[in-house]
Amino acid sequence: MEMEMENKKLIDSPTDTTLRVDRGKWSTVVRERHVDTHLVKRLKDEKGLSETAARVVAGRGVAPEDLWPSLADLDPPALLPDIAKAAQLIAHAVVNEIPIVSASDSDSDGNSAQAIIYEALTKHFDVPQGNVLAIAGHKLKSGYGLTQKLVNDILAWRENEPKLIITSDMGSSDEPRIRQLKEKGHRVVVTDHHEFPVVDGRPSIPESADAVVSPARPDSEYPDRKIAGCYVAFLVMTQVRQELINMGFLPAEAPKLTNLIGLAALGTVVDCVSMSRSKNNRALVRAGLKQVREGIRPCWRVANRMVRGGYVTSEDFAFLLGPAVNAYSRVGDPLGGANFFLAPDESIADFWWTALETANEKRKKIERAMTEKALKQAEQQVDQGRRGVVVFLEDGHAGIHGINAARITERFGRPCGFFSPQYESDEMLTGSFRTVEGFHVKQGFDAISKDNPDILPPGSYGGHAGAGGARIKKQHLETFRQLFDHEVARQVGERQLYPTIETDGWLEPEKVDTCLVAELESLEPYGREFPEARFMSVFRVARVRTIGKEGGHVKLVLKSGKRQYQAVWFFVDDKCRPKYGVTYTVVYAPKWNHWKGEKRLQLMVVGMLPN
């Protein structure tokens, strides 16, 4: 990405630096986070943080009491609506040997939830494995949510017996299919965290479900709407355990479900829920990372071998483990991740990890090909002045929509939808959406559907603030593009939309040392709304060489005074290659580089601006 300093301001902020990107066609805004100085002081006084670390935390809006919460600080699960009813229904099925179907989404959140429910039922509650059907939709073949194909598969399994169906990370938008199950004599418990469809101006909760456990319900007293679906499933199963104890089915000293916390932690990070506005998420992930590093499950022992230094971080959840699980669900078995999580020994965990990694490499190839085509479409729409971008590829892959939409959003700084034909359908399209600050995907769908139910019918979409999915008729694509663009413009107003790099401000190079990296590492977990720290400093290039199989990366030695710093910059175009001897303003994240049993300071470069 070629960058050069642009003189005029493009947004109204005294701390913004505007950069010219890609031969001057678009601009990337490098923005310094706003910091509450009072909060900085509190973090220094109450947590003993350095000035630099305190500014990092304050820039993400986290108070001292929420920085390092423990499991004792979790909100009471009893505040979730219908959780007592759900626990009673599931406990009744366990005690009376009623067949149970666990139906989940196929992403990391859904696979984590599936593993939690399956292990709780079969290992903690002694339900025979033959009495539990674990099932998830294949995104390419059946789409999102409790689809008709899933319903058909559920009905076909032990078809003459009444069943209990538990959904996880889905179900909020699936009233028609839930009603089908009810009409066949089955009971349904929905566990989810997605927002509900809006009908006649108010959220529509699936009325045919016997219980709907979700923090997104308007009548929920649970104070945290930012938790992931796998954590909702975990909380439900903890209440089932207590109900079984109350019924005398389990002894009072029955093991708690704490061994499943690592699964909920991984799903939480990968599902991109908030790590700044949820003490529950921070407490859960901190505890889960501890379990992973201790290797209490075979899958975690394999994970520790896969990461450099043998020390799994929330970044490894987000960029190593999570993508592999998601990839397998997109191009292979939708429950491949759950099989990895539930592996009874390391040899089987190794087998599944190899399968996940292979699928991830396949996914990367498909993604690169699709992204290249999609960027050309997106560029045309941006040139036309579109605020919201909607791409359609006739040969697209529904399992990789979300990644492609995210790539376009990152490149152009605009909300993006990515459509391709629905599996085995000539008339319907299925798509995924990603967004930027200021545009709420689910509310945007609601607004479009309210005025244009023929274009986007209620029940044909779902999601939350940061992401969503939708199905439309192919003949309505261009109309939907216009409606989406209009809705983006309505929500963001006059604000100009550009790709944005947020930083934690200028940092004197002499403060960049191993003590700083260790302190920044202690601020974990990182994730959505609590990203890794990035700073700006001025360095001179003392050495530069190209690395990587295709030569797309750059290894650097950067100098400031007498100090030298090892640095690396990934995915650099030839036209952006830093030049020896030139002084640059460098945007970077100070990190550990693990190599041959040692760890050393390394700067992960995000961008370089010639001074």
Side-chain angles (χ1 to χ4, degrees):
M1 204 163 54
E2 184 179 5
M3 300 184 179
E4 56 185 72
M5 192 70 73
E6 174 74 16
N7 291 324
K8 67 177 182 178
K9 290 288 184 181
L10 295 182
I11 63 174
D12 185 19
S13 171
T15 57
D16 287 336
T17 303
T18 303
L19 315 178
R20 185 67 73 183
V21 180
D22 289 345
R23 298 181 179 176
K25 199 165 189 179
W26 301 284
S27 294
T28 292
V29 175
V30 176
R31 178 182 299 156
E32 183 176 341
R33 296 177 186 277
H34 295 288
V35 174
D36 182 340
T37 55
H38 176 68
L39 185 53
V40 171
K41 185 177 185 305
R42 285 187 59 203
L43 287 159
K44 291 168 63 179
D45 293 344
E46 297 177 31
K47 295 299 180 182
L49 298 183
S50 68
E51 174 76 18
T52 301
R55 291 183 66 83
V56 168
V57 177
R60 289 146 181 77
V62 176
E65 60 271 19
D66 294 331
L67 179 59
W68 293 314
S70 69
L71 294 179
D73 298 315
L74 294 173
D75 290 319
L79 296 177
L80 283 165
D82 278 0
I83 193 167
K85 186 187 301 184
Q88 291 167 4
L89 288 164
I90 298 170
H92 177 267
V94 170
V95 171
N96 292 280
E97 300 183 355
I98 296 171
I100 298 173
V101 178
S102 175
S104 71
D105 192 10
S106 59
D107 63 1
S108 287
D109 191 6
N111 269 265
S112 297
Q114 186 71 260
I116 288 167
I117 292 173
Y118 191 83
E119 183 159 318
L121 290 172
T122 60
K123 296 294 178 61
H124 286 267
F125 308 154
D126 295 325
V127 177
Q129 292 185 8
N131 227 32
V132 180
L133 173 65
I135 192 169
H138 193 291
K139 288 187 177 178
L140 173 62
K141 297 179 179 179
S142 58
Y144 297 85
L146 187 64
T147 62
Q148 189 60 53
K149 185 180 185 308
L150 278 180
V151 169
N152 294 342
D153 291 342
I154 291 169
L155 293 175
W157 181 67
R158 298 172 68 163
E159 58 181 335
N160 296 322
E161 300 177 63
K163 295 180 279 284
L164 173 70
I165 295 92
I166 307 169
T167 75
S168 51
D169 195 35
M170 67 179 189
S172 295
S173 301
D174 296 311
E175 164 58 24
R177 272 77 62 195
I178 293 172
R179 185 168 61 250
Q180 285 184 52
L181 294 170
K182 286 288 289 183
E183 289 172 349
K184 294 292 185 179
H186 308 297
R187 310 200 77 169
V188 181
V189 170
V190 172
T191 77
D192 200 0
H193 71 130
H194 294 100
E195 296 190 24
F196 296 92
V198 173
V199 178
D200 296 329
R202 60 175 77 172
S204 177
I205 300 169
E207 59 183 15
S208 297
D210 295 277
V212 179
V213 186
S214 171
R217 281 179 54 158
D219 60 342
S220 176
E221 296 180 3
Y222 192 79
D224 188 352
R225 296 171 65 93
K226 306 298 180 185
I227 59 176
C230 56
Y231 185 50
V232 177
F234 173 80
L235 293 177
V236 169
M237 301 317 285
T238 63
Q239 297 304 100
V240 173
R241 170 188 173 273
Q242 187 58 54
E243 183 65 24
L244 289 170
I245 291 173
N246 295 342
M247 295 170 67
F249 184 81
L250 290 179
E253 65 275 11
K256 295 184 178 181
L257 308 188
T258 49
N259 68 312
L260 305 176
I261 285 175
L263 301 175
L266 184 144
T268 292
V269 171
V270 182
D271 209 48
C272 295
V273 291
S274 177
M275 284 297 147
S276 70
R277 293 184 289 155
S278 171
K279 69 174 182 180
N280 294 287
N281 290 341
R282 294 193 64 77
L284 178 71
V285 176
R286 279 172 54 80
L289 283 170
K290 184 174 184 293
Q291 285 189 358
V292 173
R293 292 162 185 164
E294 292 172 350
I296 71 166
R297 306 178 68 86
C299 64
W300 300 147
R301 293 193 287 276
V302 171
N304 284 322
R305 285 195 272 110
M306 293 302 110
V307 301
R308 284 190 173 185
Y311 188 83
V312 174
T313 66
S314 52
E315 183 179 15
D316 295 316
F317 276 177
F319 298 109
L320 176 67
L321 299 173
V325 172
N326 283 339
Y328 202 79
S329 72
R330 291 173 175 126
V331 300
D333 181 349
L335 289 180
N339 282 306
F340 171 64
F341 297 145
L342 296 170
D345 57 54
E346 282 189 59
S347 64
I348 295 177
D350 271 321
F351 168 84
W352 278 106
W353 177 250
T354 300
L356 298 180
E357 280 194 309
T358 301
N360 201 26
E361 290 304 313
K362 180 178 179 182
R363 183 271 304 171
K364 289 177 183 177
K365 291 180 181 179
I366 298 171
E367 177 201 333
R368 283 193 291 268
M370 289 174 61
T371 298
E372 186 176 348
K373 295 178 182 178
L375 286 173
K376 294 177 180 178
Q377 275 194 41
E379 179 179 338
Q380 293 175 352
Q381 294 180 37
V382 172
D383 285 345
Q384 294 167 1
R386 291 282 175 94
R387 312 271 275 163
V389 173
V390 177
V391 169
F392 167 67
L393 290 186
E394 189 72 52
D395 58 348
H397 190 295
I400 303 177
H401 283 163
I403 300 172
N404 292 118
R407 295 283 183 266
I408 295 169
T409 295
E410 180 181 356
R411 174 70 67 90
F412 298 105
R414 286 162 166 75
C416 174
F418 195 110
F419 282 103
S420 67
Q422 186 171 302
Y423 186 71
E424 295 183 343
S425 173
D426 295 327
E427 298 181 357
M428 298 299 297
L429 307 180
T430 179
S432 295
F433 289 73
R434 297 296 184 268
T435 190
V436 297
E437 181 183 356
F439 180 75
H440 191 296
V441 173
K442 172 59 167 50
Q443 291 178 4
F445 287 160
D446 289 337
I448 293 171
S449 180
K450 179 183 177 182
D451 295 333
N452 305 272
D454 55 326
I455 304 298
L456 190 64
S460 66
Y461 62 87
H464 43 73
R471 292 186 298 273
I472 63 172
K473 290 183 177 180
K474 188 175 183 178
Q475 68 190 63
H476 293 155
L477 175 62
E478 189 52 44
T479 301
F480 180 86
R481 276 189 174 129
Q482 297 172 12
L483 293 171
F484 184 72
D485 179 52
H486 176 79
E487 178 58 22
V488 172
R490 186 189 70 82
Q491 285 196 36
V492 303
E494 296 300 316
R495 183 166 67 90
Q496 296 192 57
L497 297 176
Y498 296 100
T500 301
I501 299 173
E502 289 192 303
T503 79
D504 295 286
W506 292 92
L507 186 64
E508 297 90 340
E510 58 268 22
K511 291 184 178 180
V512 183
D513 56 22
T514 56
C515 292
L516 173 63
V517 178
E519 187 176 27
L520 293 175
E521 185 178 66
S522 76
L523 304 181
E524 277 217 290
Y526 290 99
R528 183 167 180 252
E529 298 181 351
F530 198 92
E532 65 180 11
R534 289 176 174 176
F535 303 100
M536 292 189 294
S537 303
V538 175
F539 297 103
R540 182 174 63 84
V541 175
R543 193 180 307 156
V544 57
R545 65 185 178 91
T546 301
I547 59 174
K549 292 181 180 180
E550 299 178 3
H553 315 312
V554 174
K555 184 82 172 175
L556 301 156
V557 174
L558 302 176
K559 288 195 70 174
S560 175
K562 295 182 179 181
R563 292 174 177 262
Q564 289 194 154
Y565 301 85
Q566 299 293 322
V568 63
W569 190 5
F570 293 117
F571 305 108
V572 186
D573 291 339
D574 288 340
K575 64 180 182 293
C576 311
R577 194 174 189 271
K579 297 178 181 178
Y580 169 79
V582 175
T583 299
Y584 293 84
T585 293
V586 182
V587 183
Y588 63 94
K591 312 275 287 194
W592 291 122
N593 178 31
H594 294 275
W595 181 249
K596 295 183 177 179
E598 296 183 1
K599 60 180 184 179
R600 298 177 180 176
L601 171 65
Q602 180 173 261
L603 308 186
M604 303 295 290
V605 176
V606 178
M608 297 180 68
L609 315 154
N611 279 14

